[in-house]
């Protein structure tokens, strides 16, 4: 029997399939969303914008910071109202003059400006000229309208003088005086004589500063120690005690030695001053005023209009050397920032030493020992919230807790003598309390990153260690911690980057506009945690917002910002190199 299956024919009554049916449309938007292409463009664009903002900031700081110390030409401007000015062009800008300001000008000057603004849709161009000579004109800068300039020259013998006080001076050398007698009477001869005498004068000035700072400082410290010894004997044994009388006798003997040393050092300083006072230089300003400057007051002088490229480079490098190695002057708007560099690095290292052990120990307990529960969850929430607290709150806490609570207790226990003289040692702001405050500020970063690093160590390593008979601590110390070290270093890098750049807490717990002594120096015991200190971030804030001469301080703002960025980058690069070495050593691939 045949089993072949035959299909019935389709009924002829069924309608034929429509050959002209429209194909199903594919929605292109759904496809893009499904593939994630819009998100690629969105995330990539966000990254590009972020990188562009960072690059723009760095280019601005680099450009303005690196060009600050390059010598600019000195111009001499003759204006329509008969003024003659000499100085450096600081900036250009366009502005819209008001009718009131035009009405207050002389008629000829106002007419010139009106003629200019009629051509430029109401805008006038002007230049900010650093004219210096503050002791003669009571101003450092002047705005000059371009329309008022009738003649502009660059005099060959125009000299820019950087002084210890009164800021910059611009003029033409006329003579060099030794003991009041002219030894050079033309600009060229005066310039040669200046280079002949000035290095020796500058060297004597440095010796004078060293005598006043170090040797007189040592005598004053000896005097203060003797006074405190008498006070300590009085507080401990009373005025009628033999210890008090012995301390007074010792102080009397010390007083004789101190007086002799003081007289010797003062005589040396007077001799150096007398020798330097012999040398002077006479200048004439652009308006014809004569001015005699002692050579001792001149830090640096140069003729930018005559200087070659190598000569300008020498001035540029000399300024950088002064900026990095000297103390600030002229209310921090001139000179160097060495105390601020030293204070920033010392405070950052102290902060790192304080925060890393506590952060790592806390993370070890939370990850390796603590049992999961409500308390551990609350602790983690508290740590995460602590990272979001404004930094100024930490400053208030540091001032209240470290300075006024812990510091006062330390003074009562160890420095009662100074406390009796109403001079607290640790009961006020200092670099130690500042480092602890910033350590508290950066502690959440170290704890969170360390926990992540510990969690990234494979559990099989722990199990293998336990299988070999190791205890829990031996497993942590020999297996877990070495492999988590790169991650711990990442937390340390983040802490350094944040701590070194913070300013607000330091304003309350130790950073000063000017600190007379360094927190770490060559005086026993070499490290002085109670001392106030200078910080680059606080120095930057002071220059930008509290400088009496804001226009002169503006270039220093960019230079100081550049230096702060470089220091933070150097600290970070050092930590990154250390982390990479640890990665190679232990074969760890996670961050």
């Amino acid at each position: 029997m045949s089993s072949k299956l035959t299909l019935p024919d389709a009924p002829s009554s069924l309608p034929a399939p429509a050959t002209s049916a429209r194909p199903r449309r594919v929605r292109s938007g759904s496809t893009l969303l499904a593939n994630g292409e819009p998100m690629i463009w969105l995330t990539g664009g966000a990254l590009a914008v972020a990188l562009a903002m960072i690059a723009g900031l760095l280019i601005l700081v680099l450009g303005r910071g690196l060009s600050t110390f390059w010598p600019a030409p000195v111009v001499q401007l003759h204006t329509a109202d008969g003024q003659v000015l000499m100085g450096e062009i600081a900036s250009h800008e366009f502005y819209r003059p008001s009718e009131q300001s035009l009405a207050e000008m002389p008629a000829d000057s106002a007419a010139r400006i009106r003629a200019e603004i009629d051509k430029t849709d109401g805008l006038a161009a002007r230049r900010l000229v650093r004219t210096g000579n503050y002791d003669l004109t009571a101003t450092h800068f002047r705005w000059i309208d371009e329309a008022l300039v009738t003649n502009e020259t660059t005099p060959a013998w125009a000299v820019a003088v950087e002084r210890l006080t009164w800021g910059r001076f611009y003029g033409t050398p006329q003579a060099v005086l030794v003991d009041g007698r002219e030894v050079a009477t033309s600009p060229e001869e005066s310039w040669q004589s200046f280079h002949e005498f000035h290095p020796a004068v500058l060297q004597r000035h440095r010796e004078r500063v060293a005598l006043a700072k170090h040797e007189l400082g040592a005598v004053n410290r000896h005097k203060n120690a003797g006074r405190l010894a008498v006070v300590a004997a009085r507080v401990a044994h009373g005025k009628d005690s033999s210890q008090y009388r012995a301390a007074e006798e010792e102080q009397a003997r010390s007083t004789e030695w101190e007086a002799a040393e003081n007289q010797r050092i003062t005589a040396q300083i007077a001799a150096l001053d007398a020798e330097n006072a012999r040398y002077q230089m006479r200048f004439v300003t652009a308006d014809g005023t004569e001015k005699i400057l002692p050579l001792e007051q001149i830090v640096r002088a140069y003729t930018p209009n005559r200087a070659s490229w190598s000569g300008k480079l020498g001035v540029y490098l000399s300024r950088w050397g002064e900026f990095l190695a000297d103390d600030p002057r002229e209310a921090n708007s001139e000179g160097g920032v060495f105390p601020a560099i030293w204070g920033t690095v010392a405070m950052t290292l102290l902060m790192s030493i304080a925060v890393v052990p506590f952060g790592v120990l806390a993370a070890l307990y939370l990850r390796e020992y603590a049992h999961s529960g409500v308390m551990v969850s609350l602790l983690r929430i508290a740590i995460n919230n602590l990272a979001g607290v404004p930094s100024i709150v930490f400053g208030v806490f540091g001032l209240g807790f470290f300075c006024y609570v812990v510091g006062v207790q330390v003074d009562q226990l160890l420095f009662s003598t100074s406390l009796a003289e109403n001079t607290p040692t640790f009961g006020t702001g200092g670099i130690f309390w500042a480092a602890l405050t910033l350590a508290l500020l950066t502690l959440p970063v170290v704890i969170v990153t360390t926990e992540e690093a510990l969690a990234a160590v494979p559990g099989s390593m722990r199990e293998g260690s336990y299988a070999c008979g190791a205890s829990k601590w031996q497993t942590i110390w020999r297996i877990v911690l070495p492999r988590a070290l790169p991650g711990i270093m990442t937390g340390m890098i983040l802490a350094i980057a944040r701590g070194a750049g913070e300013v607000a807490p330091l304003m309350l717990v130790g950073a000063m506009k000017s600190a007379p002594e360094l927190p770490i120096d060559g005086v026993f015991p070499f490290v002085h945690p109670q001392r106030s200190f200078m910080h680059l971030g606080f120095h930057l804030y002071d220059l930008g917002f509290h400088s009496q001469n804001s226009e002169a301080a503006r270039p220093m703002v960019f230079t100081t910002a550049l230096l702060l960025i470089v220091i933070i980058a150097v600290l970070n690069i050092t930590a990154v190199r250390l982390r990479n070495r640890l990665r190679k050593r232990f074969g760890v691939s996670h961050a």
Side-chain angles (χ1 to χ4, degrees), residues 90 183 201 412 494:
V183 297
V201 171
Q412 290 176 350
L494 295 174

Side-chain angles (χ1 to χ4, degrees), residues 395-563:
V396 174
F397 174 80
L399 179 67
F401 181 72
F402 291 127
C403 299
Y404 295 159
V405 176
V406 182
V408 169
Q409 297 298 321
V410 172
D411 281 348
Q412 290 176 350
L413 289 174
L414 303 177
F415 302 97
S416 57
T417 304
S418 299
L419 203 58
E421 292 286 294
N422 200 23
T423 54
T425 305
F426 280 93
T428 183
I431 191 170
F432 187 57
W433 298 140
L436 289 185
T437 302
L438 288 187
L440 193 61
L441 173 69
T442 54
L443 186 62
V445 177
V446 177
I447 291 177
V448 171
T449 53
T450 303
E451 265 205 277
E452 295 295 329
L454 294 173
V457 177
S460 58
M461 289 189 174
R462 293 181 175 84
E463 294 168 0
S465 177
Y466 294 146
C468 292
S471 65
K472 189 173 185 64
W473 171 243
Q474 287 173 327
T475 301
I476 292 173
W477 181 252
R478 295 183 179 274
I479 304 296
V480 178
L481 271 181
R483 283 151 184 82
L485 270 179
I488 297 173
M489 291 298 299
T490 301
M492 185 176 170
I493 294 167
L494 295 174
I496 288 175
R498 185 177 182 190
E502 280 290 347
V503 176
L506 303 180
M507 296 167 64
L508 303 177
V509 288
M512 303 286 288
K513 176 185 177 72
S514 178
E517 296 174 304
L518 297 174
I520 301 175
D521 57 17
V523 179
F524 183 81
F526 311 117
V527 179
H528 311 277
Q530 78 281 6
R531 286 183 182 174
S532 299
F533 65 104
M534 293 184 68
H535 185 269
L536 276 175
F538 185 77
H539 185 77
L540 188 62
Y541 165 77
D542 180 66
L543 279 175
F545 297 98
H546 295 283
S547 177
Q548 295 179 350
N549 188 1
S550 58
E551 293 293 344
R554 185 186 300 175
M556 296 290 285
V557 169
F558 288 99
T559 309
T560 307
L562 174 63
L563 183 61

Side-chain angles (χ1 to χ4, degrees), residues 362 365-366 370-384 451:
Y365 177 79
L366 289 174
H371 297 287
S372 300
V374 177
M375 185 59 68
V376 172
S377 299
L378 289 176
L379 276 175
R380 288 200 171 97
I381 292 172
I383 291 170
N384 292 331
E451 265 205 277

Side-chain angles (χ1 to χ4, degrees), residues 27 88 144 147 159 166 174 215 245 247 314 346 468 473 485 535 547:
R27 298 176 62 183
E88 300 175 35
I144 302 296
V159 176
W166 300 107
Q174 295 295 303
E215 297 202 19
R245 288 192 295 274
C468 292
W473 171 243
L485 270 179
H535 185 269
S547 177

Side-chain angles (χ1 to χ4, degrees), residues 68 82 236:
T68 295

